[in-house]
Structures are given as C-alpha cells and as structure tokens.
C-alpha cells in the first residue's frame, strides 16, 4: 500500500496582469485540439500559490494548462494576510518550527512531513524572492520576521498585511511570461476523467464549463495537479473567497481518491464583525474580512465588550495560543456574555507602527468609521481553513495515478488537528515543488489519453427548450435557498463546539435537504448529465459537508479543532488520522457520483 494509506484508519491594489493563451509548443497532441477538447501534458486546476508554482516548474518539460474558476488572482492565496513561516533567523531552528507545528496540531501531525516542510521551507521562500516577490525588511536591511500565535520565534516573512496578494502578483507575472503555459480563466471544473486499469484508477484530465461561452470544455492531460483550495462556504461566514466551495475535494471523492481528516475545520478567531462597526456595510459581504493573526502576534489584546481581558483565563499563552484555543475561548465568551462579537485592541501600540504593519486592515476599518490606532476592532470567529482534504503522499501523490494535489485541497499530514499560523502558504510552496519530479516521470511514461477522450459521456448545459419556460430560474432560486439552509445546519450543528446529538442531527438534516433539492431539480426537467455553476457548486457543498460530518462522528475524542462535549478529553489511543477510503458502491445521490461513468481500460 502507498505510504499515505498504510497503518491508518477510519491592490497594494491588484495589478492588472495580461494572460495570453499561448501556442502549445511542447504537446505532441496539439493537432487534436478544438474548441471543446484540449490536450496538454499537464493540467493544473487552481491558480493560487500551489498551482502557479507547480506550473512554472513543469512548463520546462511540457505544455501546461491552468484552469481557474474566476479571475486568475481570485484564490485563497490572494486573501492571505499574515505571511509565510520559515526558519530564516540564526536564533531559530528547524526543530523549534517542527515542535511548534506538532504542538499546534495536537500531536496528530505526520512527523516526517513536518520535518520535510520545515527543512525545505526557507529555500522555497528564497525562490519566491528571486522571482520578484517583495517582502518587508527591517531597518537593518534584513527580512522583517513577524510572530504569530503558536510560534516560539519570529519567523513570519510578510509583505505588510497583504502577503498573499504580493506572492500571487509575482507568480502570475512569471506565468504571463511563460509561453508554455496557457491560462484559462472562468473555467469551472466539473469532474475528473478517470478509468480503471489493472485494478488501479488513472486520471486523464477534467471536464469544465467555460463560463463566458457557456460550453463544456474537456481538458485531456497526462498529469493533473489539483490545487483548487478549500471549502469554507459550507459555512455561512467564512474568510474564503466565493470560489471556495470544495470543488476539488468533492471531485476527488467522486473519483475514488482517499479523503482524510475532514473533521478539522479551522475557524479563524478574528474576522471583522460588521455588526460592531460604527458605520454598517450596506450589502452583505461575500466573504468575511480577515483580521490577521499577526495583530495578536504584534501585541493585540482580546477583550469582551465590558473591556475585560479574557484569554489568560483560558490559556497561559493568552492571545498567542493556537487558533483552535483562541476560537473556542471567543466562542465561550460570546455565549456567556450573550454578545455577537469581542474586541481586539492594538491601539496601545505606536500609531505609525500600526499603520505600517497593517495598512490594509486600517484602511478597511476606516471605510466604516473605525480608526484602529484609537479604537478596538470588533471581531468574531469565521470558517477559515480545511486541515483535511485529499490524502497525499510526500510528493503530493494520491491513490489515483496521474493525479497530484497541493495546497489547501490536500491533506499531507503537516497540519494534524489544527494548522499553525502561516504554515499554509509554506506547505503549498513545498508540496508544489515536491510534486514536480514525479509528475515529469509520470508524464514521460503515461499514455496520452487521446484515444479515451471521446469515450466519456459529455455533460450538457441546460437550455430553456430542454427544461421548459421558467424552470431554470426556479432551479437557480431553489439552489440558492438550499445553500443557505445547508450553511445554517453546518453552523448550528457542526461548528466550533460539537456534540454527537447535533452531529447526528446534521447528518439527517443534510440528507433530507439534499434529497429534497435533487428531487426538485429532476421534477423540473434536470437530468443527471446536466451541469450549471450553481447546481455543481451545490452538489460539491453537499459532498464536503457530508464528509465533515462523517469524519466528526468517527472521532470520539476532542483533539485540536474538533471539540465535542460528549468526549471532551484527548485520548492517546485515538491519535491517528480519520480516513475515508473509496467506497465500492458510491452513495446513490447526484452529488456523490461523477457525471461520467468510470471507464474500464486495458
């Protein structure tokens, strides 16, 4: 068995960057291309740091297509404020970074993975700098290293409070200058194209919806890297951008990839609470505005609305405790005080220092009448990061041949039961780079998949003539309502603090909600091969929500981000990942089955 399956059980303003769809020089299959079927050596799904960094390396060996759901810069990377953690100070050490990661991860981390990431991380950061990413420096000319919750040393490389945006800018510029990379924006990935051969599943690309032309476009590839981000929008309030609907995790589950640790959903302790602002936003945000961990790392103090400091009551590390501890502490304060937000105060620090370190946060708050150099910031926890995902080995490989994963969609074992602050961009960089050589080796040996391209059934887009007048708008309306109802169930029953009763309630409520929604679709003329953005996102949200609930019910202890009132203590005998293996028979719901039948290949 592969290593990762063994012994385991159940804009600065955004700069405008041109992206050309270049002539494909390296692919030997370009002669087969048309508007709806495209052939590449490598297909990358997602345009965050993991996908872009990988594409820039494999493009030296073949043609690359990057397909991304919205604008290329619209990814979780772009919203990452804090920075990249790496051992770059002489007083710091790999062993110290490892210890901090493992302690934060509630000792569920894979130690070999942790060592690799902490050891290789500094070189990956230096590569970013060489590519043009600009990070803050101190008066001595050296990189300014910040500190965040859970870290014992200052080791966060950052660009003010907009680090992700700067990394994204540098990588997109490099992609734009690479003639071997074609970037397809506004392409929504539907399902992976797989076949079974000699008892193993092989991936040969992905079907997508070209949102602008409203056509289904099939990408056939020798190697596929999935770097599609997380699933924050299974909850009503999340710091994730609207594209984070769990598409990659759901596609992999349907393709029979191994899924792991989905119960560990990280709620960021401090998202901006619009309710506590002097001037209320006129429209609801699509995603919550993040108040970076670095504010607490820089001396920010948490108070309830009576201006009583509460974190020392919960943990000796106070505001510098890991995120799971801080989020639960805030949740407890809100329930005890009957309030909707707490306050994060950084106003005791020098004004110039606050504005220099947190210009983006200061500007956003000032838009709504709040001066963070004088007033505390109203904050509330929000869904932030999936520590679980598609199970990956040490080179980003999955149990599906030709399919690699990197970034938030992957579960590498680094984060364990709770991600240490600023380890996410680090992990994405390290695993994107580690997946390169095995991908090249697979590309050289793989058959092209051209002969299979026409054998998978093609998804179809709904039309008024097929559905009848008004049916499509009714379906879209019902889907949006269902989405809101699912998010409410997840927040009420599968939130920061859980119980077996509420989890079981979530299980049957989600099952009923899914059955009602699918029944409505099919009564209105929808067919199993039809696709649409809202409907496909909805089935992915259902799939991910069920995976979170199933994993949470399986863990009968409290560890890291999974805290349950029925099993409030950590149990050493249960210190192992939760693993969902491919089911021999997929659940009989639309969200759990790929639209294309898995081929049997010789």
């Amino acid at each position: 068995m592969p290593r990762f399956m063994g012994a385991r059980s159940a804009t600065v303003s955004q700069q405008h960057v041109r992206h050309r769809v270049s002539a494909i020089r390296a692919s030997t299959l370009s002669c087969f291309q048309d508007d709806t079927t495209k052939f590449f050596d490598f297909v990358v799904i997602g345009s965050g740091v993991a996908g872009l960094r990988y594409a820039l390396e494999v493009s030296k060996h073949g043609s690359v297509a990057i397909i991304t759901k919205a604008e290329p810069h619209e990814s979780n990377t772009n919203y990452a404020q804090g920075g990249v953690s790496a051992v770059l100070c002489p007083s710091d050490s790999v062993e110290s970074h490892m210890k901090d990661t493992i302690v934060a991860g509630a000792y569920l981390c894979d130690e070999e993975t942790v060592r690799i990431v902490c050891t290789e991380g500094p070189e990956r950061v230096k590569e970013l700098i060489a590519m043009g990413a600009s990070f803050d420096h101190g008066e001595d000319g050296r990189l300014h290293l910040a500190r965040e919750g859970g870290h014992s040393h200052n080791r966060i490389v950052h660009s003010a409070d907009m680090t992700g945006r700067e990394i994204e800018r540098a990588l997109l510029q490099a992609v734009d200058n690479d003639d071997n990379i074609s970037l397809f924006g506004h392409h929504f990935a539907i399902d992976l194209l797989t076949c079974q051969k000699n008892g193993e599943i092989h991936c040969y690309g992905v079907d997508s919806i070209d949102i602008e032309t409203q056509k289904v476009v099939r990408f056939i590839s020798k190697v596929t890297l999935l770097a599609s981000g997380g699933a924050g929008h299974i909850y009503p309030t999340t710091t994730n951008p609207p594209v984070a609907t769990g598409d990659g995790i759901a596609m992999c589950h349907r393709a029979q990839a191994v899924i792991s640790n989905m119960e560990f959903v990280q709620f960021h302790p401090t998202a901006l609470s619009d309710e506590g602002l002097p001037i209320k936003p006129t429209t609801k945000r699509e995603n919550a505005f993040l108040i970076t961990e670095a504010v607490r790392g820089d001396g920010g103090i948490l108070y309830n609305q009576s201006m009583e400091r509460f974190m020392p009551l919960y943990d000796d590390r106070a505001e510098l405790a890991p995120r799971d501890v801080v989020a639960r502490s805030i949740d407890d304060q809100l329930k005890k005080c009957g309030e909707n937000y707490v306050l994060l105060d950084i106003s005791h620090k020098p004004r110039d220092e606050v504005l220099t370190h947190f210009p983006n946060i200061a500007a956003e708050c000032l838009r709504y009448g709040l001066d963070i150099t004088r007033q505390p910031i109203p904050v509330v926890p929000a869904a932030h990061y999936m520590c679980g995902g598609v199970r990956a080995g040490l080179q980003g490989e999955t149990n599906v041949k030709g399919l690699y994963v990197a970034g938030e969609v992957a579960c590498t074992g680094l984060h364990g039961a709770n991600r240490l602050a600023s380890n996410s961009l680090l992990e994405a960089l390290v695993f994107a780079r580690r997946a390169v050589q095995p991908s090249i080796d697979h590309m050289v040996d793989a058959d092209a998949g051209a002969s299979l391209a026409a054998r998978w059934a093609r998804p179809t887009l709904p039309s008024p003539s097929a559905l009848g007048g008004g049916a499509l708008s009714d379906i879209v309306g019902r889907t949006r309502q269902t989405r809101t109802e699912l998010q409410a169930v997840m927040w009420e029953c599968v939130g920061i603090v859980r119980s077996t009763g509420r989890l079981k309630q979530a299980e049957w409520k989600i099952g009923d909600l899914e059955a009602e929604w699918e029944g409505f679709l099919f009564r209105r003329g929808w067919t199993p091969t039809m696709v649409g953005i809202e409907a496909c996102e909805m089935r992915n949200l259902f799939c991910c929500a069920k995976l979170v609930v199933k994993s949470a019910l399986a863990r009968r202890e409290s560890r890291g981000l999974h805290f349950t009132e029925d099993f409030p203590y950590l149990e050493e005998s249960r210190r192992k990942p939760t693993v969902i293996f491919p089911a021999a028979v997929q659940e009989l719901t639309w969200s759990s089955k790929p639209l294309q039948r898995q081929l049997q290949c010789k």
Side-chain angles (χ1 to χ4, degrees):
M1 297 174 75
R3 169 191 169 276
F4 59 87
M5 291 175 63
R8 310 289 188 188
S9 71
T11 254
V12 173
S13 63
Q14 185 69 41
Q15 293 191 4
H16 175 65
V17 183
R18 292 181 301 108
H19 300 286
R20 57 178 172 270
V21 178
S22 60
I24 300 157
R25 303 182 305 191
S27 177
T28 58
L29 294 165
S30 58
C31 58
F32 291 102
Q33 301 221 108
D34 58 36
D35 285 346
T36 58
T37 305
K38 300 181 183 296
F39 295 83
F40 290 84
D41 295 316
F42 305 92
V43 163
V44 177
I45 303 170
S47 59
V49 60
L52 297 179
R53 190 67 192 89
Y54 172 89
L56 287 165
E57 291 299 322
V58 296
S59 69
K60 301 167 186 174
H61 303 272
S63 60
V64 184
I66 300 174
I67 71 170
T68 188
K69 190 170 172 180
E71 293 294 327
H73 66 263
E74 186 70 358
S75 66
N76 277 355
T77 296
N78 198 49
Y79 290 81
Q81 293 179 354
V84 187
S85 59
V87 177
L88 294 165
C89 175
S91 63
D92 198 0
S93 68
V94 167
E95 287 69 25
S96 177
H97 192 182
M98 286 182 63
K99 181 181 178 182
D100 292 345
T101 298
I102 291 168
V103 169
Y107 297 90
L108 195 67
C109 308
D110 183 289
E111 189 170 340
E112 188 176 6
T113 301
V114 175
R115 181 171 296 281
I116 285 170
V117 172
C118 295
T119 302
E120 296 181 7
E123 189 60 33
R124 301 290 83 85
V125 172
K126 291 172 186 175
E127 288 172 354
L128 279 180
I129 295 171
M131 294 173 68
S134 177
F135 298 116
D136 289 357
H137 289 70
E139 294 179 358
D140 58 1
R142 298 179 180 178
L143 283 169
H144 181 270
L145 301 176
R147 185 181 174 190
E148 296 179 353
H151 288 274
S152 58
H153 290 75
N154 287 44
R155 62 166 71 100
I156 314 300
V157 181
H158 62 100
S159 180
D161 57 353
M162 297 170 282
T163 308
R165 191 178 300 182
E166 172 58 18
I167 293 172
E168 186 83 359
R169 180 205 62 77
L171 291 175
L172 280 173
Q173 186 63 62
V175 164
D176 192 53
N177 293 332
D178 192 320
D179 287 340
N180 237 19
I181 300 176
S182 300
L183 205 158
F184 297 86
H186 300 282
H187 278 63
F188 176 86
I190 303 167
D191 264 324
L192 298 171
L193 301 168
T194 60
C195 75
Q196 196 167 71
K197 181 165 54 177
N198 299 325
E200 293 183 316
I201 302 169
H202 293 249
C203 180
Y204 287 100
V206 65
D207 274 342
S208 72
I209 302 172
D210 183 335
I211 298 169
E212 293 180 343
T213 66
Q214 283 298 295
K215 290 181 178 179
V216 172
V217 180
R218 175 162 289 171
F219 289 86
I220 301 294
S221 62
K222 299 173 183 178
V223 178
T224 302
L225 176 88
L226 194 61
S228 55
H233 281 270
I234 59 175
Y235 291 95
T237 305
T238 175
T239 61
N240 293 181
V243 293
T245 52
D247 308 321
I249 295 170
M251 285 193 298
C252 283
H253 179 61
R254 291 192 290 266
Q256 299 189 47
V258 177
I259 308 295
S260 186
N261 285 358
M262 288 293 287
E263 69 269 38
F264 299 120
V265 181
Q266 187 173 78
F267 291 84
H268 198 288
T270 55
L272 182 64
S273 170
D274 289 342
E275 187 175 336
L277 291 170
I279 302 171
K280 307 296 186 287
T282 54
T283 57
K284 187 178 183 298
R285 297 178 194 265
E286 290 182 309
N287 51 285
F289 185 82
L290 179 67
I291 305 297
T292 174
E293 188 104 1
V295 174
R296 283 181 285 120
D298 215 33
I301 298 172
L302 284 164
Y303 298 95
N304 59 29
Q305 290 183 38
S306 300
M307 291 309 292
E308 298 167 337
R309 187 183 182 188
F310 58 85
M311 276 309 303
L313 303 175
Y314 295 94
D315 195 283
D316 291 342
R317 293 163 291 185
E319 282 78 11
L320 291 179
R323 289 178 177 178
D324 60 324
V325 175
V326 181
R328 278 198 301 278
S329 303
I330 293 174
D331 183 71
D332 188 57
Q333 280 290 305
L334 295 177
K335 289 171 179 173
K336 283 180 176 177
C337 300
E339 296 169 349
N340 294 325
Y341 59 87
V342 296
L343 299 168
L344 176 60
D345 190 21
I346 192 72
S347 64
H348 53 280
K349 303 288 284 188
R351 176 182 175 83
D352 289 347
E353 185 179 314
V354 171
L355 295 178
T356 298
H357 289 177
F358 310 112
N360 190 39
I361 293 171
E364 181 67 16
C365 289
L366 201 57
R367 285 179 61 198
Y368 300 102
L370 185 78
D371 181 353
I372 69 169
T373 66
R374 297 172 179 269
Q375 301 162 278
I377 308 166
V379 294
V380 67
H384 183 60
Y385 190 88
M386 299 296 298
C387 290
V390 184
R391 192 77 177 168
L394 291 175
Q395 295 178 307
E397 75 276 16
T398 70
N399 61 303
V400 178
K401 300 298 178 185
L403 177 66
Y404 297 81
V405 289
E408 190 174 349
V409 73
C411 181
T412 65
L414 174 69
H415 306 309
N418 175 48
R419 174 173 69 83
L420 180 65
S422 288
N423 265 2
S424 54
L425 291 176
L426 178 73
E427 179 198 39
L429 287 166
V430 169
F431 274 88
R433 192 68 183 82
R434 290 184 69 81
V436 169
Q437 190 56 53
S439 296
I440 294 165
D441 295 342
H442 184 87
M443 186 269 292
V444 171
D445 295 334
D447 52 74
S451 61
L452 302 173
R455 291 181 57 190
W456 287 285
R458 282 224 176 232
T460 57
L461 289 158
S463 64
S465 59
L467 293 177
L472 187 56
S473 61
D474 288 348
I475 287 170
V476 170
R478 179 59 177 266
T479 300
R480 289 173 181 169
Q481 176 190 334
T482 301
R483 180 166 171 161
T484 301
E485 292 172 3
L486 172 68
Q487 291 170 334
V489 170
M490 291 299 291
W491 180 252
E492 291 165 11
C493 301
V494 201
I496 295 171
V497 176
R498 303 163 179 175
S499 71
T500 303
R502 288 197 297 273
L503 289 172
K504 286 187 176 295
Q505 190 176 43
E507 190 174 44
W508 68 256
K509 279 186 175 180
I510 292 169
D512 284 352
L513 198 59
E514 183 182 32
E516 290 171 7
W517 174 70
E518 289 186 5
F520 180 84
L521 259 63
F522 296 130
R523 285 195 302 273
R524 297 308 305 265
W526 199 267
T527 66
T529 60
M530 279 187 181
V531 292
I533 302 301
E534 291 88 354
C536 286
E537 282 189 337
M538 191 68 247
R539 74 186 195 126
N540 293 336
L541 289 166
F542 270 126
C543 184
C544 289
K546 289 188 294 184
L547 290 170
V548 171
V549 173
K550 185 174 182 177
S551 298
L553 281 168
R555 184 166 293 281
R556 298 166 71 85
E557 65 163 353
S558 288
R559 185 182 293 273
L561 298 163
H562 174 71
F563 184 86
T564 171
E565 295 168 333
D566 297 299
F567 306 99
Y569 303 110
L570 187 149
E571 298 215 9
E572 183 60 24
S573 64
R574 297 185 180 274
R575 186 163 62 89
K576 49 191 174 183
T578 304
V579 180
I580 299 174
F581 289 99
V585 179
Q586 293 280 5
E587 297 172 65
L588 298 178
T589 68
W590 188 52
S591 70
S592 302
K593 296 184 294 184
L595 299 183
Q596 304 86 356
R597 180 175 54 88
Q598 188 178 92
L599 301 180
Q600 298 294 321
C601 306
K602 296 180 180 178

